[in-house]
Amino acid sequence: MKTLVLTTASALLLASVGVGYAINTDPDKTLVSENDTAMTQKAQIDTEDINDLLEYDKLDEVADVSKFNTQVVENNPHKRIILLKDDNGQPQFKSIFVKDTNRLKIINLHEGLVYSKIIK
């Protein structure tokens, strides 16, 4: 009997704390992690602007960029990820440029890694 009373009291206490928290939470002031913000702020650059990127020449050499629609899906201070999609919107190549080391990896999504070197 004592166990039943303690279990019930604990459940009620937890439920009341949860309800109190839900009532007092202001959605405008909730904390957001840095990863959540980065994921929602994915950068997209038009095809014309991609020509100025450091890795463009090597990417064009490996995977003829003119045949694909380009989309920069991530661009932060440490890395840039570009997808090359066909006319049906299906990704064919993925370019990962690590800005800290100038390493470029180009992946053919059907065949695997086709380029991985440090570029100047």
Side-chain angles (χ1 to χ4, degrees), residues 10-52:
S10 297
L12 288 173
L13 179 63
L14 288 173
S16 65
V17 170
V19 169
Y21 179 76
I23 290 172
N24 292 325
T25 302
D26 184 5
D28 294 332
K29 295 181 181 178
T30 56
L31 297 175
V32 178
S33 72
E34 187 175 329
N35 280 345
D36 292 342
T37 309
M39 294 303 287
T40 57
Q41 296 177 352
K42 291 181 179 177
Q44 293 187 7
I45 299 175
D46 293 333
T47 303
E48 295 80 32
D49 298 331
I50 202 169
N51 297 342
D52 298 331

